Amino acid sequence: AEGSDLPFVRDDMASMSHPLFALKAKDIRTIRYEQNEVKTEISANAEYGRATIFDKDIWIYCISKLVQALNEEAEISRTVRFKAYDLLVATNRSTGGVSYSRLKDSLDRLIGTKIFTNVKTGGKRSASAFGLLDSYSIVENDSSGKMVSIEVTLPDWLYRSVTSKSVLTISSDYFRLRKTIDRRLYELARKYCGNQSSWKISLPLLLEKTGSTTILRKFRASVKSLEE
C-alpha cells in the first residue's frame, strides 16, 4: 500500500500450511483435524469467535517488522510495539475511526482463540496450548480515546518461526484480496508451489486445507471465480 512502512511482507510457513484462522466471522466451533502427523485443535472464545484470516493481518505485520529488524541486525523480542495507523496503511485498510475499533476486536479474537497442536517450527516440535497472541496492551490513546500505539506479545512458537526464518515473502497485494477464501488459497499456493512452475492437489484435499466449511460444489465455483 502507498505509504506502507513494510518494504517486504512476510507470512509464517506453519500457519500457511494449517487452517488456524476462520474464514467466517463469529465462528465459535471447536475445530479438530490432523495433517501429516500434526494434530491440531482450535477453540474460540464464545463472546468474540475465532480469529479470522483478516485478523491475521496483525500477525503478518508483526512478523514482517521483526524480520525487517533482524535484517537490519537490530535486537528483537516477542513483544512488538507499533502505531495503529501504520498497520492500517500497510494492510490496505481505511484509517477512519471504525477501523480502530475493528482493530481492537481483532486483538480480542486473537487473544481468545486457543490452539493445541504439536506443530514443528524452528526445528522443534511444540506440543502445547496457546493463544494466537500471548497478550496485548493499548499503550497510547489520543484525546478522543482512539488507540495510537499498540504493544503485542507473540506466542513463543511463532517467534521461533521468525528467528529461524521459517517465513515466506508474500505480495503486498495479498491485502487487496477481500474474499477470505481467496486469501487462504493464495497462502496455500505460495507455500506449496513456491518457485515451482506448478503444484497439483485434489480439490477435496484443497478444500480441507483451506479450513472452509462450504460444500465441494460451492468450493469448486469459488476456485473457478478466483481463476478468472
Side-chain angles (χ1 to χ4, degrees):
E2 185 178 352
S4 170
D5 63 339
L6 295 183
F8 296 100
V9 182
R10 266 62 174 224
D11 201 351
D12 161 66
M13 292 172 66
S15 64
M16 293 171 82
S17 301
H18 306 289
L20 304 185
F21 292 85
L23 300 186
K24 289 183 178 180
K26 299 182 180 179
D27 187 343
I28 61 172
R29 297 170 302 133
T30 296
I31 306 298
R32 298 177 181 87
Y33 68 94
E34 180 175 354
Q35 292 180 0
N36 300 325
E37 299 182 355
V38 176
K39 296 179 181 179
T40 305
E41 179 178 297
I42 310 169
S43 60
N45 179 289
E47 180 180 355
Y48 302 120
R50 281 174 58 206
T52 72
I53 200 163
F54 289 114
D55 300 333
K56 189 183 181 182
D57 288 357
I58 296 173
W59 256 31
I60 294 174
Y61 183 81
C62 291
I63 291 167
S64 302
K65 295 298 287 182
L66 287 174
V67 173
Q68 181 182 355
L70 282 174
N71 290 340
E72 295 170 356
E73 299 184 347
E75 291 188 10
I76 64 169
S77 73
R78 290 196 296 131
T79 300
V80 182
R81 181 180 290 197
F82 56 89
K83 299 289 188 182
Y85 176 86
D86 291 342
L87 181 143
L88 293 173
V89 171
T91 57
N92 194 44
R93 300 185 185 205
S94 162
T95 55
V98 68
S99 293
Y100 290 86
S101 61
R102 288 174 178 169
L103 189 55
K104 170 67 164 56
D105 292 341
S106 291
L107 290 165
D108 286 333
R109 285 190 291 268
L110 287 164
I111 286 285
T113 302
K114 305 298 181 183
I115 296 178
F116 174 85
T117 185
N118 62 350
V119 68
K120 189 174 183 180
T121 61
K124 296 181 180 180
R125 188 169 293 279
S126 300
S128 58
F130 48 85
L132 290 176
L133 284 182
D134 273 9
S135 64
Y136 80 84
S137 60
I138 309 302
V139 180
E140 180 187 359
N141 288 320
D142 64 13
S143 58
S144 68
K146 184 173 66 177
M147 67 175 71
V148 175
S149 294
I150 303 168
E151 194 170 87
V152 302
T153 300
L154 303 178
D156 183 62
W157 73 270
L158 180 60
Y159 183 68
R160 288 205 310 267
S161 290
V162 174
T163 56
S164 65
K165 298 294 182 71
S166 298
V167 297
L168 287 174
T169 301
I170 64 172
S171 170
S172 59
D173 286 336
Y174 168 84
F175 297 120
R176 299 184 184 278
L177 296 175
R178 303 317 304 165
K179 293 182 180 179
T180 57
I181 191 65
D182 289 357
R183 285 189 168 211
R184 185 70 187 121
L185 287 170
Y186 172 85
E187 280 193 316
L188 289 166
R190 177 66 185 92
K191 170 66 172 64
Y192 289 104
C193 194
N195 294 322
Q196 303 174 91
S197 60
S198 64
W199 168 61
K200 294 183 179 180
I201 185 172
S202 69
L203 209 60
L205 180 56
L206 183 60
L207 172 58
E208 181 181 342
K209 291 184 80 66
T210 65
S212 173
T213 58
T214 191
I215 60 175
L216 186 60
R217 175 173 54 81
K218 289 186 177 180
F219 178 64
R220 183 180 289 109
S222 295
V223 173
K224 287 184 176 179
S225 174
L226 178 58
E227 178 187 5
E228 292 170 0

